[in-house]
Amino acid sequence: MMFRSSLLAVSMIVLTIDAMAQDVAAGEKSFNKCRACHQVGETANNTVGPILNGLFGRKSGTVAGYNYSDANKNSGLTWDDAVFTDYIKDPKGKIPGTKMSFAGIKNEQEIKDLTAFLKQFAADGKKGS
């Protein structure tokens, strides 16, 4: 019985830490910094920047219909948590020659939250696919 109680307590702590690790609602607020150039969701279109649906796991510079810089197309990057974190902190530092003119997001928690928000969107723009 003591083992079960301890296991339950540990499980609850882990779930709490996971919930604190990434906050989708906070990530959506952070995405407001991106909205001037990027869209997500089922009706998303390329604008100043490419759509961000299905970003994680996608090769850099490959969204159909978007005119990327040569630097971005030839970067050889595939978007994952680590690459996105480095990029969003300093886009021009990660991909010199990118067209993205954004000062970056330096706060680690904000980046985790933004990552969680973006990961909701599959390539077709649907959430949770």
Side-chain angles (χ1 to χ4, degrees):
M1 190 66 153
M2 180 80 136
F3 177 75
R4 280 188 191 161
S5 296
S6 297
L7 185 58
L8 179 61
V10 169
S11 296
M12 290 176 68
I13 290 169
V14 169
L15 289 173
T16 301
I17 290 170
D18 283 347
M20 289 172 32
Q22 296 183 337
D23 182 340
V24 173
E28 184 173 10
K29 287 180 185 173
S30 179
F31 186 72
N32 286 330
K33 295 176 181 179
C34 312
R35 283 188 201 282
C37 300
H38 298 280
Q39 295 183 10
V40 291
E42 293 182 62
T43 61
N45 292 301
N46 294 325
T47 58
V48 173
I51 62 170
L52 298 180
N53 294 335
L55 177 65
F56 293 87
R58 182 173 79 206
K59 291 195 180 297
S60 180
T62 60
V63 170
Y66 184 75
N67 184 25
Y68 287 95
S69 65
D70 287 339
N72 200 298
K73 287 188 285 190
N74 299 322
S75 69
L77 298 176
T78 299
W79 298 107
D80 63 17
D81 290 32
V83 170
F84 179 73
T85 296
D86 287 347
Y87 184 77
I88 203 65
K89 284 180 182 177
D90 181 10
K92 290 189 182 290
K94 183 69 175 173
I95 303 179
T98 185
K99 294 191 301 186
M100 185 163 158
S101 57
F102 178 65
I105 296 173
K106 310 301 186 214
N107 181 285
E108 295 286 336
Q109 186 61 51
E110 185 177 358
I111 294 168
K112 288 179 184 177
D113 296 342
L114 179 59
T115 299
F117 173 73
L118 291 173
K119 281 186 170 182
Q120 296 180 103
F121 298 94
D124 64 2
K126 293 181 181 176
K127 282 188 178 182
S129 297

